[in-house]
Amino acid sequence: MSDAVLTVLKFCLLALLYLFLLRVVIIVARELRGTPIPQPVPVAPVASAAPAPRPTRRRAWRLVVVQPDAARGNTFAVEGEATIGRGGGCAVPLTFDTFVSQVHARVADREGTLWLEDVGSTNGTYVNGQRIEKPTKLGRGDRIQLGETVLEAER
């Protein structure tokens, strides 16, 4: 091969290397920025002719952050089913914990009983110090650990 062809190939290889490095920097910058937390959309009340349903006496489940100290006291209501993770679409966003998967676990209130299920997280989900592999029934005061975050189930 001639020297001109080799020089052109060297510059092409160098350009590909710089494009690769640029792509890596962009991906790392996105990860460091974190996932934006969606803002709730206000819902306008709808007038209906049907009578309002009777309120139930059963209190809703909620998850309260116990650790880390910076987020202690944050409360998340569980109405029906909720996902827990770093992702923006999660009902319980744990964007401050980098050891939590984008969608880490799911909690569901089924007929007054709270159930927790790991949805294929990398670091696992623990209830009262025990790793769970299948949907697990939770009680009041049970502690859920996801990454470095500890949540407590309350009613």
Side-chain angles (χ1 to χ4, degrees):
M1 265 191 224
S2 69
D3 286 339
V5 172
L6 288 175
T7 303
V8 169
L9 288 175
K10 284 184 204 176
F11 282 121
C12 288
L13 181 64
L14 191 61
L16 286 173
L17 181 65
Y18 279 116
L19 286 173
F20 173 75
L21 290 175
L22 177 66
R23 178 79 174 151
V24 168
V25 167
I26 289 171
I27 290 172
V28 168
R30 275 191 205 147
E31 274 298 312
L32 289 176
R33 247 186 275 131
T35 306
I37 299 173
Q39 298 298 322
V41 178
V43 178
V46 178
S48 66
R54 270 184 37 189
T56 59
R57 288 190 170 148
R58 188 178 297 167
R59 293 179 55 187
W61 285 97
R62 60 183 183 266
L63 299 176
V64 180
V65 177
V66 177
Q67 288 180 346
D69 291 334
R72 177 176 287 171
N74 288 351
T75 303
F76 303 97
V78 178
E79 296 175 5
E81 188 173 300
T83 54
I84 305 171
R86 280 188 304 137
C90 292
V92 181
L94 303 177
T95 56
F96 50 84
D97 192 343
T98 58
F99 292 101
V100 173
S101 300
Q102 290 291 322
V103 179
H104 195 101
R106 177 181 15 247
V107 289
D109 184 356
R110 296 185 189 130
E111 299 177 9
T113 304
L114 191 63
W115 290 83
L116 174 70
E117 175 184 13
D118 186 279
V119 290
S121 66
T122 305
N123 295 324
T125 302
Y126 297 82
V127 174
N128 298 326
Q130 300 292 317
R131 186 174 182 145
I132 63 168
E133 301 294 330
K134 58 184 179 177
T136 304
K137 185 178 178 180
L138 297 176
R140 189 180 335 169
D142 282 346
R143 293 203 169 199
I144 306 162
Q145 182 174 355
L146 312 127
E148 294 180 340
T149 303
V150 177
L151 303 168
E152 187 172 306
E154 288 186 355
R155 192 150 208 190

